[in-house]
Amino acid sequence: VWHNVSPTNYEDTQIKKIVIRDGFTSIGDHAFYKCSSLSEIVFPESGLKTIEAYSFFRAGKQNKSLTHVNLPEGLIKIGASAFQETALKSIKLPESLTTLGNRAFNMCNNIKSVFIPTNVNSIGVTVWGNTNSKLTKYEVDSENQKYTSEDGVLYTKDKKTLVSCPVRKPGVYTVPEGVETLAKNAFDSS
């Protein structure tokens, strides 16, 4: 486990690239918190299971250069605010992923669409929300047992709960018949 005991250690560093070698199973809370010059993260090809809360919070914020990460297969959890306030433009979630923590990609304003893979069974609140977000649609693997999307909006599989409406969904949106619950922050910053 890689763990940073002080959440401000990297704020003014000039670290531009981080290579996490094979053998790491977890990146601990605040590990690279506010590593503001970061432009590249190389994850191990296998073995990494969790990226904990605030691990890469505001990483690359200074030069807005952390625009893409390749998350490895085998990763099962992305913790709360793990990549919040980064300049990510796209994110490919691995098929192995099961859990997305609250605000995991919140304020990643350049992500336009999100594809939820088969095994995701827990999505926190405001994972992608923000008033400046460019997010226009969610797509969900048809084999996912917990979630689905319709017209770009994220629902539980039975379509009884509207989980999240993309911030930049164009036009007027009418909640469809059969929806019984609006999840917490379902229209956050919409």
Side-chain angles (χ1 to χ4, degrees), residues 89-91 111-115 134-139:
K89 291 182 178 178
S90 66
I91 188 76
I111 296 175
K112 294 179 181 177
S113 66
V114 173
F115 181 80
K134 294 180 174 95
L135 186 63
T136 59
K137 69 177 178 177
Y138 293 102
E139 295 176 281

Side-chain angles (χ1 to χ4, degrees), residues 64-112:
K64 299 186 184 332
S65 59
L66 184 63
T67 59
H68 184 75
V69 292
N70 288 320
L71 297 171
E73 266 311 315
L75 183 68
I76 57 171
K77 175 188 172 191
I78 299 174
S81 302
F83 291 93
Q84 184 173 331
E85 293 188 46
T86 62
L88 290 174
K89 291 182 178 178
S90 66
I91 188 76
K92 183 180 183 305
L93 301 174
E95 283 295 320
S96 55
L97 191 68
T98 62
T99 304
L100 283 162
N102 296 339
R103 302 170 312 284
F105 296 98
N106 190 18
M107 298 178 77
C108 293
N109 298 332
N110 296 311
I111 296 175
K112 294 179 181 177

Side-chain angles (χ1 to χ4, degrees), residues 22-58:
D22 287 342
F24 277 92
T25 57
S26 181
I27 299 172
D29 293 1
H30 297 89
F32 298 101
Y33 183 85
K34 294 185 179 180
C35 194
S36 60
S37 296
L38 190 62
S39 60
E40 185 179 2
I41 305 166
V42 179
F43 290 105
E45 289 185 29
S46 64
L48 186 63
K49 300 289 183 209
T50 61
I51 298 173
E52 297 294 347
Y54 295 92
S55 292
F56 296 98
F57 179 84
R58 289 190 181 171

